[in-house]
Structures are given as C-alpha cells and as structure tokens.
Amino acid sequence: MPKEMLPIVDKPIIQYVVEELVEAGIEDIIIVTGYSKRSIEDHFDQPSQDLIANLEMGGDAKKPLLDEIKKIGNLANFIYVRQKGPYGNASPLMSAEHLIGNEPFIFSWGDDFVKATPSRFRQMVDTYKAHGGNVLTCVPMTNNKDYVRYGFVGGEELNNSLMHVKNIIEKPGTKDKAPSDYATVSSYLFTPELFSYLHQAQIDLKSGEEFIMQPSIQKMIEEGHQFYGCLVKNGKYYDTGNKLEYLKTVVDFALMHDDLKDDFDKFLRARISGS
C-alpha cells in the first residue's frame, strides 16, 4: 500500500492534502505516481456501479457513505503522471512540467501536511498575492533530529510569520549550521522559472547524485528571484512518513473527530491509568 493511502481515522492521508488544495481554490491537481501507486488513482476515480448499488441497497443508513464517495471523485480535475528520471525530489516536478505550463503552481507531498486555520495553502496563496515570487511552507523546528530531516532557510524576517529568504540549506545536520529555525516542509508555491534551473541541474548531475531541487532554489535566489518563507499560522505539522509520527497523527485526529472523540478520550485515559 502506498503510504499516502494509509488512513487517518476515516480518510487516507492524501485526501486531506487534496481537500486542502481544493479549499484554497485549486481546480487542477496533477498526481505524480509510481508503479505501486495505482490505488491512489482508483481512490479519486468515480465509484464503481457495484459499489453504488450495494450502498443504495442499504437505504438511508448508507446514504452518507454514498454521498461521500461520490464527492471524492468530483473534488477536482485529476491528472495522473508516472514519474521518470533520477532519484530525488526534483524528478516529480520534471515529470509534470509539460502539464503545468507558464503559470505558478503548488508542489506538495502526499504523506505529510500542516493542519491550520486558514489552511497552509490559503496562507501561501495570500502571500503570493501580496508579494509575488515563490513561497515556501515553513514551520519552526528546534529538536536536534530535525536538522538531519529537513531543509532550513535564512534571510530577513519581514514579520513574525514571513521571511524574505536569502539562503536555503538542505539537512544542515546540526542547529548551529542552520540559518534559522524555519524548516521548509511539505509544500511549495513556485513560479515556472524554476524549470529552466532544474533542466540545467539535471544536465550537471553527476552519476550517483540525488536530483534535488534545493540547489536550484539557491541559484534562483542568487540570481534575483524572490523567495518567501511562510511560517504557517495557527497550524501543526504532521509528518506521517514514519511509524511513530503516523500513530501520533491518528491519535490527534481521532480526538478531533466529532463521532469518536469522547469515547476515544475515555479509552486513552483508561489505558494510561492501567484500568
């Protein structure tokens, strides 16, 4: 199973990301997949007639489920592309370039997200409308292990939630080597100029090197392109890419679920107390 399809209570992780994009006004969503990720395509497809017939036989009790699965397929216009190219986070971008054209776009992962009000994508779009340029989702990180997992940006803080980025360092390793505690995670709003830099980076790529986008971002900054670090307000970052963080996410969302939260809270309290 693709990790993007692991459920958080009653939705796969990637559906939370898609719903957040739609809420921010995105209508066309390109999903870059691999050979093992057909279930993602199936999830956002129209439901089969057999499934519809079975739910209709359940009468009024099953109607909410029927409405839900019909809504999933109509969330957006979905386009699916198989990833090609060397290993690294820049290859999905290159695989979708021919569909994006000459307009700004959001690039996001399908297995992590920031739950925020307003949504992180809405905050990113608002930042773009106000300042133009490219916008990076940022969250504050201070634990030592974070510096070997994420990229960090440095620059001029314009206010308590926005940085004019001057440099980006991917996985600095230690806190003292990071330019700030602004970690770039999960999503990016790019202008199409990025692609010319990625093309050159791919030409210059040495055998065995990982094809990542951060060096191209740094080169763009050095050549005068504007980048902003948007520190997401009223938000919490969820990285479901490892077992422990996935379990924490499920617990948090279960405690926010209207139908489950009270009973689940009682269960957790009883479990912790040993009763």
Side-chain angles (χ1 to χ4, degrees):
M1 175 187 289
K3 57 184 177 180
E4 297 91 343
M5 287 298 295
L6 289 171
I8 299 177
V9 185
D10 53 5
K11 294 180 188 177
I13 298 163
I14 194 171
Q15 186 174 331
Y16 286 93
V17 178
V18 166
E19 289 177 345
E20 190 183 356
L21 285 165
V22 171
E23 187 276 331
I26 302 299
E27 297 178 352
D28 300 314
I29 297 176
I30 304 166
I31 299 180
V32 183
T33 67
Y35 72 93
S36 63
K37 300 191 177 186
R38 179 59 188 271
S39 59
I40 296 174
E41 300 178 28
D42 291 341
H43 180 73
F44 292 105
D45 199 355
Q46 293 297 316
S48 70
Q49 292 304 310
D50 286 343
L51 178 56
I52 290 174
N54 285 333
L55 290 174
E56 287 176 339
M57 289 174 62
D60 291 342
K62 297 294 184 181
K63 189 175 184 307
L65 294 177
L66 182 59
D67 293 341
E68 179 66 21
I69 62 168
K70 286 182 176 179
K71 184 179 75 173
I72 291 171
N74 294 313
L75 283 169
N77 302 314
F78 292 99
I79 306 149
Y80 299 96
V81 177
R82 288 296 179 96
Q83 179 172 318
K84 298 176 182 178
Y87 178 77
N89 61 27
S91 285
L93 282 165
M94 298 293 279
S95 299
E97 178 189 8
H98 65 292
L99 295 168
I100 291 171
N102 190 33
E103 58 182 322
F105 62 96
I106 289 174
F107 178 48
S108 184
W109 310 123
D111 62 350
D112 67 354
F113 57 94
V114 181
K115 183 173 177 57
T117 305
S119 73
R120 55 162 170 168
F121 294 133
R122 174 60 62 189
Q123 294 184 44
M124 293 171 72
V125 170
D126 288 346
T127 299
Y128 172 78
K129 288 179 177 178
H131 300 277
N134 304 264
V135 184
L136 313 177
T137 294
C138 294
V139 295
M141 298 283 187
T142 54
N143 291 330
N144 290 334
K145 64 181 180 181
D146 295 330
Y147 297 94
V148 297
R149 296 178 62 187
Y150 305 108
F152 287 78
V153 294
E156 176 190 0
E157 291 197 34
L158 302 179
N159 56 50
N160 60 7
S161 63
L162 189 66
M163 175 184 286
H164 188 194
V165 176
K166 299 299 183 181
N167 64 315
I168 180 169
I169 299 177
E170 179 66 5
K171 299 176 182 177
T174 58
K175 181 178 175 63
D176 62 295
K177 294 179 181 178
S180 75
D181 62 355
Y182 272 40
T184 62
V185 299
S186 192
S187 50
Y188 313 79
L189 192 159
F190 288 126
T191 57
E193 289 81 8
L194 173 69
F195 287 116
S196 63
Y197 288 83
L198 291 178
H199 278 288
Q200 186 59 51
Q202 190 169 20
I203 292 170
D204 297 338
L205 196 67
K206 294 181 174 62
S207 177
E209 281 187 338
E210 190 175 346
F211 185 29
I212 60 174
M213 60 188 174
Q214 281 77 7
S216 294
I217 293 174
Q218 183 61 47
K219 191 168 184 180
M220 289 180 71
I221 293 171
E222 292 168 359
E223 294 187 1
H225 294 275
Q226 303 302 305
F227 278 79
Y228 297 92
C230 177
L231 192 65
V232 179
K233 294 176 286 189
N234 305 315
K236 182 175 181 180
Y237 174 56
Y238 291 96
D239 182 355
T240 60
N242 67 65
K243 294 176 184 177
L244 179 59
E245 295 304 318
Y246 171 71
L247 290 171
K248 291 178 182 178
T249 304
V250 172
V251 169
D252 272 6
F253 275 71
L255 290 171
M256 291 185 280
H257 196 287
D258 289 340
D259 296 337
L260 302 173
K261 60 184 180 182
D262 292 337
D263 288 340
F264 190 57
D265 180 72
K266 290 177 184 177
F267 165 77
L268 289 177
R269 292 179 185 277
R271 187 73 178 84
I272 292 169
S273 67
S275 59

